[in-house]
Amino acid sequence: FLTILGNSAVLATAVKRSSLLKSPELLTVNLAVADIGMAISMYPLAIASAWNHAWLGGDASCIYYALMGFLFGVCSMMTLCAMAVIRFLVTNSSKSNSKKITKNTVHILITFIWLYSLLWAILPLVGWGYYGPEPFGISCTIAWSKFHNSSNGFSFILSMFLLCTVLPALTIVACYLGIAWKVHKAYQEIQNINRIPNAAKLEKKLTLMAVLISVGFLSSWTPYAAASFWSIFNSSDSLQPIVTLLPCLFAKSSTAYNPFIYYIFSKTFRREIKQLQCCCGWRVRFFSTDNSAENPVSMMWSG
């Protein structure tokens, strides 16, 4: 519910101010699409399976669930990587050069991200890698446990780990370290000035927001990655079901964090949310049961 409501608010505000969106903000919209897509396509089936104490639907639904998770997971990772690179380019370029990152450029980049994610999601369906149930039995993903005795599976997981996890993560870290150094040098140059320019303050806030989004995603998925790689080289039975279940749930919670980060750091997003509350809310009147009290009490319920 938090994922759907929060990211729906992000998409609603983006549609409302579509003509005012800057090019890098389109990546934020793409991240919200990936998060809400994961929640809608996967979570209901996982919740129903949890109540059933067993996976529902057989092999077909298992492959569908794993494919959706891999598709949206890689898309989110690559979107965060693209956000870091563009933020680095904007921070380290002149104003004229930063304007070269047009909406068409970002549209092409987003298209590439989805095609790249779809390619990796389809590969297990055509024989490179496998999809299968999680050790705790109520969700599905890449069949990690099959890889320690399969050269085909091991080559897939190694390639996927390098190209979809390690390389993007290192790129994100390198970009934000570069930005931090640039901001640090800029603040040193103006340390004798009483008032720091508003542009520098805005740049610092945008960078901090992007860093928190990336840290939230990477932190959420790290325990799951650790548990998954343990099962590659060891039997899944060596881990208790709860040890494999909790990292999975924690990883899926990554889709709910971003709207809260936007709300904290973006005045524009806060203002748009308040306007949405006024447009989507409705007024419900509660009358006092006391006959002497004639004034109604009104409460606003936010949509």
Side-chain angles (χ1 to χ4, degrees):
F1 287 124
L2 288 176
T3 297
I4 293 174
L5 290 176
N7 288 286
S8 294
V10 174
L11 296 179
T13 57
V15 170
K16 185 178 178 182
R17 54 188 300 270
S18 57
S19 60
L20 301 175
L21 284 179
K22 298 178 181 179
S23 301
E25 291 179 310
L26 296 175
L27 290 170
T28 302
V29 175
N30 191 57
L31 188 60
V33 170
D35 287 344
I36 201 170
M38 181 178 287
I40 293 174
S41 64
M42 298 171 60
Y43 295 174
L45 186 56
I47 292 170
S49 298
W51 281 104
N52 187 56
H53 300 283
W55 181 252
L56 294 175
D59 292 340
S61 64
C62 184
I63 292 174
Y64 159 80
Y65 183 93
L67 187 145
M68 291 294 105
F70 199 18
L71 171 65
F72 291 121
V74 174
C75 180
S76 296
M77 186 65 170
M78 300 310 297
T79 301
L80 291 172
C81 181
M83 289 171 64
V85 172
I86 289 181
R87 183 113 294 279
F88 177 80
L89 294 176
V90 169
T91 303
N92 289 272
S93 302
S94 63
K95 189 174 181 180
S96 59
N97 289 333
S98 64
K99 290 183 178 180
K100 293 181 180 179
I101 304 176
T102 63
K103 286 188 176 181
N104 287 335
T105 302
V106 178
H107 283 145
I108 294 172
L109 180 59
I110 290 173
T111 301
F112 171 78
I113 288 172
W114 281 103
L115 291 176
Y116 184 81
S117 304
L118 183 61
L119 172 64
W120 280 102
I122 291 176
L123 286 176
L125 300 181
V126 296
W128 194 29
Y130 312 94
Y131 286 134
E134 301 266 20
F136 49 86
I138 56 172
S139 78
C140 295
T141 185
I142 298 170
W144 307 96
S145 59
K146 292 184 180 181
F147 295 156
H148 67 276
N149 56 6
S150 169
S151 58
N152 176 37
F154 187 79
S155 63
F156 171 77
I157 193 60
L158 183 62
S159 302
M160 184 274 293
F161 178 65
L162 292 175
L163 297 177
C164 298
T165 305
V166 174
L167 186 59
L170 290 178
T171 302
I172 291 171
V173 171
C175 286
Y176 287 132
L177 286 177
I179 293 171
W181 177 252
K182 179 74 174 180
V183 171
H184 173 69
K185 296 295 289 185
Y187 270 65
Q188 278 188 331
E189 293 174 1
I190 59 176
Q191 62 182 350
N192 294 325
I193 301 177
N194 293 328
R195 185 173 62 85
I196 297 174
N198 289 331
K201 293 180 180 178
L202 178 61
E203 192 68 34
K204 185 177 180 180
K205 181 180 290 187
L206 290 174
T207 300
L208 181 58
M209 182 177 72
V211 168
L212 287 177
I213 292 170
S214 299
V215 168
F217 183 85
L218 294 175
S219 300
S220 299
W221 283 92
T222 297
Y224 179 76
S228 299
F229 271 84
W230 173 270
S231 63
I232 293 176
F233 302 101
N234 301 274
S235 173
S236 300
D237 298 334
S238 61
L239 294 176
Q240 294 294 324
I242 195 163
V243 176
T244 56
L245 173 61
L246 290 181
C248 182
L249 295 178
F250 189 53
K252 297 300 189 293
S253 71
S254 65
T255 58
Y257 301 153
N258 295 339
F260 293 98
I261 297 174
Y262 302 147
Y263 191 85
I264 292 171
F265 285 92
S266 175
K267 291 182 180 179
T268 302
F269 185 61
R270 287 199 298 271
R271 183 174 64 249
E272 294 292 341
I273 289 296
K274 291 177 182 178
Q275 292 178 2
L276 282 175
Q277 288 176 340
C278 293
C279 294
C280 300
W282 61 90
R283 193 171 294 276
V284 181
R285 294 179 178 272
F286 293 90
F287 292 90
S288 172
T289 54
D290 186 359
N291 293 332
S292 63
E294 297 180 356
N295 295 327
V297 179
S298 300
M299 295 185 63
M300 178 67 76
W301 293 78
S302 300

